[in-house]
Amino acid sequence: MADAILTATDLVKHYPIKGGVLRRTVGHVKAVDGVSFQLMRGETLGIVGESGCGKSTLGRLLMRLEEPTSGTLDFDGIDMYSKKGSEMRKLRRDIQIVFQDPYTSLNPRMTVGDIIGEPFDIHPDVVPKAGRRKAVQDLLDMVGLNPEHINRYPHQFSGGQRQRIGIARGIALNPKVLICDEPVSALDVSVQAQVVNLMEKLQDELGLSYVFIAHDLSVVRHISDRVGVMYLGRMAELGNEDEVYQHPTHPYTQALLSAVPVPDPTLRGKREQIVLTGDVPSPANPPSGCRFHTRCWKAQEKCKVDTPELIERPDGVGAHFSACHFAEPRLVIETVDVSDVEPDERFSSTEVVDPGALLERDGAATTAADDVVSDGTQQGEPVGEPDASREDVFREEVRGDAPDRRDI
Amino acid sequence: MTNAAISATADPSLDAGEPAGEAHSLTSDAWRLLRRRPIFWVSAGLILLFLLMAIAPGLFTNTSPTAAVLKESRATPSTENWFGRDVQGYDIYARTIYGARASIMVGVLATLFTTLLGALLGIVAGFAGGWVDTLISRITDVFFAIPLLLGGILFMSTFQSDVNTSYFVIVMKVVLVLALLGWPSITRLMRSSVLQVKPNDYVQAARALGASPWRIIRQHILPNAMAPVIVVSTINLGVYIAVEATLSYLGIGLTPPAISWGVAISAAQSGLRSAPHMLLFPAMFLSLAVLAFIMLGDAVRDAFDPKTR
């Protein structure tokens, strides 16, 4: 495999809890508590986990938007946390972020051209002043937006279009690593597929490495080469996509995967669902030993005392990283990898429709509300009832079933 | 209609409606909303009128405000003197026109200073956080505890003016006391506004790009945090005019021979029952000016409030 571009070692982020009259520190929220991983050049590392497990904090640590409590981060041979001032600024060119909520990640008072052009203002040596407008228009074109909309404001775009603008800003400086902090969670399911496909396209074209943070297991599987599962600030399991999804060894991963809805009524009631009891413990006072032992059906005395290390453990076929004393493979869900399946042309295109060509065919008057729909511009023959089937088709795609198998 | 047809026709229709290059910013949206409100035009018209009075009172009257005709003291309104004459025999219409200058000057300057000082401290407190925020916030609290009018009376009676003090110095003294006691509300507003804007992802994105704090404030925080301050400042302008009149009425703001609405109201007190017109006209102008600024502030707030859209 290719060499590592990003190496995190024992990343820790504790937030102090202040209490009392004197605002003394009475405890710590252990948001990220010893996370180590490597990101290879050109690969996508998916990070999954439920809300509050420290995924987003990890993303912000990787961006150095937060200072870590301890740990090191090696970016392409440079120790990122030791850099200051202009050196750090220079480093930021190579590592960028795409945020979750496209409604708060774009400044409402700036035009799209100013938003995407801001990276060039901050790093003026990347593109000469005269070429900036052109560079911004190229970026808009690259993410599938109309370059003529350069002077519009964010509120004139739909959620999916805004997320494309956020991606364009992220790739403007031609970074090596793009941290994606739940980039599709806030989007409509129909638009999610387009944005995910756009990100895959950009990865191929620009040779980007992604850290893809999400809580949607199917989306992560679709885009990732390797997947890390987080629980309460620690990595529970880390392996390539097949290893984690097909023979997970950590009980938490198994429970997570068994909760994925399967859009197939014939499987209803026939598959085993692992229902966890209790809530996620507070990260301010995490359980001793294995973090998961309070909810784990396999837990024994050893789990309360010994912290299981994230080491390679046998998974039936080979071995991958898992942090469980009693790691054993278990087939949880029948999932199919669709990476090699021919994509469904109707829903995977990121091209913008040439408006002129279609205007001649159908010049019906439309309203501005249709703009939302225009985000999902698709060429080719549309199938009937697009509204009813859009969501299903995306799920099918993730699962890899052909649409015609849907009929029962 | 098919999906492709919807999407295809949506784009050209938008492009036909607005050529590339035209765009709606939030400010232009607010302006379009404002333009349709009669209350905005009424208040803006009144304010323009008062501003014109303050700058060029000669446009409105040829009579000198200091030409006393003692034998016509307390004359009632007539075709000769529209608003009548006061105790000294001055033409009330001319006095009222000339009185606008003091009120408008105090209002505008006090608003300018409180807004600048308050916004600056509010941005520093909200953006820097930590002990800087604590220090500024506590100082703000101390000043906030002093009632505006009481503080004004204390200040003006401590630094008293006499007959030789020039008009400009007295006006500046009133402005100074208003600025000194008025900035805390703006600071608090600005601070909370900055705190609201700061955690937004677009600010984080700018940080991730390596933007300097100055750039983040100028490009991202200030434009998004300014609207409530502008609104409150506009409303405050009316309040400051009223406070100036109050101080003058109490005899510690502007004093004769300076001409102002407050001074005129104070002087009219002596003949309230026999010549009520002496009180009516300056009081009416004062109320109109205060009302106009408050109405304008209201209209601007409605236009900038995204919830009304």
Side-chain angles (χ1 to χ4, degrees), chain B residues 91-222:
Chain B
D91 181 47
I92 293 182
Y93 176 69
R95 299 282 284 187
T96 310
I97 296 290
Y98 277 85
R101 179 176 287 174
S103 299
I104 298 290
M105 219 156 98
V106 166
V108 169
L109 287 178
T111 304
L112 197 72
F113 290 145
T114 49
T115 308
L116 284 181
L117 184 67
L120 183 73
L121 287 171
I123 289 170
V124 171
F127 190 76
W131 65 268
V132 178
D133 181 22
T134 312
L135 187 74
I136 293 178
S137 296
R138 292 299 84 76
I139 295 174
T140 308
D141 288 347
V142 168
F143 275 86
F144 206 69
I146 307 170
L148 183 59
L149 206 56
L150 188 66
I153 292 170
L154 267 173
F155 184 91
M156 296 305 288
S157 51
T158 312
F159 303 99
Q160 274 185 347
S161 323
D162 53 44
V163 189
N164 296 324
T165 319
S166 78
Y167 173 77
F168 188 70
V169 170
I170 303 173
V171 166
M172 285 318 282
K173 263 207 263 190
V174 177
V175 169
L176 186 69
V177 71
L178 289 177
L180 215 56
L181 298 172
W183 63 268
S185 62
I186 302 286
T187 300
R188 278 189 174 182
L189 191 68
M190 194 70 196
R191 175 177 170 272
S192 66
S193 195
V194 168
L195 287 180
Q196 218 166 39
V197 171
K198 208 172 85 169
N200 269 326
D201 281 345
Y202 54 82
V203 178
Q204 301 297 331
R207 275 184 63 205
L209 286 167
S212 61
W214 167 239
R215 185 189 175 84
I216 292 175
I217 290 177
R218 190 170 42 101
Q219 284 281 344
H220 298 283
I221 293 189
L222 204 55

